[in-house]
Amino acid sequence: MPGPAPGFCLGVSAEMIYRSFGALLLALVLSPAWAEVLVGKVVALADGDTITVLDGSKVQHKIRLAGIDAPERKQPFGQRAKEQLSHLVFGKTVHVETEKIDRYGRQIGKVLIDGRDANLAMVTAGLAWHYKSYQAEQSSADRLLYASAEEDARAVRAGLWREPAPVAPWNWRRGER
């Protein structure tokens, strides 16, 4: 009885190798370890989750804070969120770990000020939601930290959680007011 066709076992092994290599390559590409780090001074804020950073070459970068969604400007706590973010980062040098660009041309990133995660600080203060629609783009550690920070802020009724029924910004933008 003849054995398997020549190269059959090699074909299966090669396919497994290609799949494993593809998965590894995808993981490396999506890994925060490969994120670009932008260093610059925060020169403007649009709202509680969008800043402008001026880098050393005097190029402005619009940054949307990753993993969070702050109330819109006309929404309850919208102005307070912007003020809190301003207090944290305005006029200061930040390190921004960016991984992608959104449909509006903004870089999406985690903003670090003296090693402290400003995005997480906004959730902890009760002035932003953990943006769970995009949590798959976060590291597992950040996903857990942000979710826990939101739960804690809700429990102590910090910031917007004082409201009897706070409306999430993604619902507000759809007109659910």
Side-chain angles (χ1 to χ4, degrees):
M1 177 171 253
F8 176 76
C9 291
L10 179 61
V12 171
S13 295
E15 180 181 353
M16 289 175 60
I17 290 170
Y18 286 129
R19 282 186 184 172
S20 296
F21 179 75
L24 177 62
L25 184 59
L26 183 61
L28 289 174
V29 167
L30 296 178
S31 168
W34 288 91
E36 174 189 343
V37 177
L38 167 69
V39 178
K41 183 178 180 179
V42 177
V43 294
L45 286 91
D47 54 29
D49 55 30
T50 306
I51 62 175
T52 301
V53 175
L54 185 66
D55 70 17
S57 300
K58 305 297 182 206
V59 175
Q60 290 189 5
H61 302 265
K62 188 81 103 171
I63 308 295
R64 171 69 165 80
L65 278 65
I68 73 169
D69 201 4
E72 296 298 322
R73 281 181 284 190
K74 294 184 178 179
Q75 195 174 352
F77 286 89
Q79 185 59 35
R80 180 70 186 101
K82 182 178 179 181
E83 290 167 2
Q84 177 66 18
L85 184 59
S86 178
H87 173 73
L88 289 170
V89 301
F90 185 74
K92 298 176 183 169
T93 298
V94 296
H95 289 73
V96 184
E97 297 174 355
T98 65
E99 298 175 28
K100 73 178 219 177
I101 295 176
D102 72 7
R103 63 183 177 194
Y104 304 108
R106 302 173 299 188
Q107 292 173 273
I108 307 298
K110 180 162 65 169
V111 178
L112 302 170
I113 178 83
D114 297 326
R116 182 174 177 219
D117 182 346
N119 309 26
L120 179 61
M122 292 296 291
V123 176
T124 300
L127 294 170
W129 276 256
H130 174 217
Y131 209 166
K132 291 180 180 69
S133 295
Y134 294 97
Q135 68 182 347
E137 297 174 8
Q138 292 181 289
S139 69
S140 56
D142 281 350
R143 192 169 32 249
L144 290 171
L145 281 171
Y146 286 44
S148 178
E150 182 179 311
E151 288 174 18
D152 292 347
R154 284 177 184 249
V156 299
R157 299 181 52 83
L160 62 91
W161 302 113
R162 290 185 203 126
E163 291 286 307
V167 176
W170 52 89
N171 293 332
W172 178 273
R173 290 188 291 269
R174 281 187 272 165
E176 298 175 26
R177 301 173 186 179

